[in-house]
Amino acid sequence: MVVVFQKRKNALWVKIIRSIYGKGGGLDTNITCRNISGRTIWKEIIKAGTIADDTRASFSTSITKQLENGESIKFWKDIWCGSERFCTLFHRIFMLGSNKDAHVADRISHNGTSTCGIWSWIRSPSGRALNELTEINNIVSSIKLTDKPDAWKYDLDPSGIYTTKSLARKIDCLKLGNHATNISVPRNKYIPQKVNIFAWRVAQKKIPVRIELDKRGIDLNTVLCLICNSDIESTDHTMVHCPKIAQIWFLTLNWWNQPTSIISNLEDAISNQ
Ligand SMILES: [Zn+2]
């Protein structure tokens, strides 16, 4: 999060922290970043990350190093190739290495056509350590370094960039499971907040229509629509397809001089509001 904070200067949460705790965001001093209860803002952020982990969002492990020139990634101690540190995966050869904090760039050499490892030992490898050396040499030979500085990657969003929105969406999906839809509901500042919230609840299938109540184990005499009594009372039916509701859409869109075909499904009904 500290890296994201330093790189994404225009993100709203970064601006808020800077406006309260100064340009350094409280990272540079212990005095300005203390709140009333004496806890630092960053402790609170880390705590929030732990809460996100409790939802199974795997937030703490979602920001990983991305290899470029290898000058800031530790060869043995950082996770940069696969899902384990080399110091754990190749423990014998790690113990024989002379510089345990060497960077990837210190251990990899390009000679124009091929890549090989550059090693420095306290004692020459032998026995099973030699097997590990062969294995690690195979991995190293397929690594390609670039001229760009090493970067950070956020794994929970296809763009690789952390946003609070993408984390919130991930937590929503985990908490709401199959009840959630993928419909994006942008907040519309021209309509009352309660309407925005209602549209979000519709997208999450959180309005108490009969089929949703039935799924949650509530005993009902029927799951048919209360208005037309001819189809199952689902969110889609209640919001769009029920003949009476479709009639209201038809009249309203006519009144607004809009083509009546623009509302044909649930997404049309709530995503544009
Ligand atoms: Zn109906």
Side-chain angles (χ1 to χ4, degrees):
M1 289 304 289
V2 172
V3 177
V4 177
F5 174 81
Q6 288 166 337
K7 292 206 162 187
R8 299 206 55 231
K9 296 189 169 92
N10 292 324
L12 181 61
W13 68 276
V14 172
K15 285 181 183 170
I16 291 171
I17 290 177
R18 281 180 195 274
S19 71
I20 299 172
Y21 298 99
K23 203 176 171 189
L27 287 167
D28 44 358
T29 163
N30 284 331
I31 299 166
T32 55
C33 66
R34 283 184 185 282
N35 64 19
I36 294 164
S37 62
R39 290 176 299 186
T40 71
I41 182 67
W42 288 98
K43 271 188 189 169
E44 293 299 303
I45 289 172
I46 290 165
K47 199 165 116 190
T50 313
I51 294 167
D53 283 342
D54 289 343
T55 64
R56 296 177 285 117
S58 307
F59 174 68
S60 298
T61 53
S62 64
I63 298 175
T64 53
K65 290 196 170 180
Q66 191 175 14
L67 184 67
E68 292 290 348
N69 64 11
E71 289 177 7
S72 64
I73 296 177
K74 291 188 176 177
F75 184 85
W76 298 108
K77 296 181 177 175
D78 285 334
I79 297 173
W80 59 275
C81 180
S83 57
E84 273 195 75
R85 291 174 179 82
F86 279 4
C87 61
T88 312
L89 205 56
F90 304 106
H91 183 67
R92 288 187 180 85
I93 206 88
F94 167 69
M95 293 309 289
L96 296 175
S98 61
N99 180 4
K100 311 273 192 273
D101 290 314
H103 292 106
V104 175
D106 302 328
R107 290 282 163 265
I108 292 182
S109 166
H110 283 287
N111 68 2
T113 53
S114 63
T115 306
C116 61
I118 312 169
W119 309 112
S120 166
W121 310 114
I122 299 168
R123 185 160 47 82
S124 293
S126 61
R128 281 192 277 182
L130 270 179
N131 295 339
E132 287 191 358
L133 183 58
T134 307
E135 210 175 322
I136 209 166
N137 269 324
N138 281 339
I139 294 172
V140 162
S141 66
S142 63
I143 301 296
K144 285 193 171 46
L145 299 180
T146 71
D147 295 331
K148 292 190 284 183
D150 296 323
W152 290 87
K153 188 166 154 286
Y154 177 61
D155 295 330
L156 299 185
D157 192 273
S159 69
I161 297 168
Y162 168 79
T163 59
T164 313
K165 186 178 175 184
S166 66
L167 178 60
R169 188 171 294 165
K170 171 85 181 174
I171 292 171
D172 272 355
C173 285
L174 286 165
K175 286 184 106 172
L176 300 169
N178 294 334
H179 299 302
T181 67
N182 290 322
I183 301 173
S184 169
V185 188
R187 183 178 166 277
N188 186 330
K189 64 181 179 182
Y190 298 108
I191 60 178
Q193 189 67 338
K194 63 181 180 183
V195 180
N196 279 302
I197 292 169
F198 178 75
W200 180 83
R201 290 186 67 208
V202 169
Q204 308 309 323
K205 306 226 167 161
K206 283 281 186 180
I207 55 168
V209 290
R210 288 179 167 178
I211 192 67
E212 296 298 331
L213 295 173
D214 184 63
K215 280 183 201 167
R216 288 159 175 77
I218 294 170
D219 199 15
L220 302 164
N221 291 331
T222 176
V223 290
L224 290 179
C225 173
L226 180 70
I227 301 169
C228 68
N229 203 35
S230 63
D231 204 345
I232 290 172
E233 191 183 272
S234 63
T235 306
D236 295 60
H237 179 84
T238 305
M239 293 298 297
V240 182
H241 300 302
C242 178
K244 300 274 184 191
I245 302 301
Q247 184 67 8
I248 293 173
W249 279 119
F250 180 83
L251 293 171
T252 309
L253 291 168
N254 263 337
W255 174 34
W256 290 342
N257 289 325
Q258 295 293 316
T260 53
S261 59
I262 62 169
I263 307 286
S264 61
N265 55 42
L266 189 63
E267 185 166 5
D268 291 341
I270 58 173
S271 61
N272 295 319
Q273 297 183 26

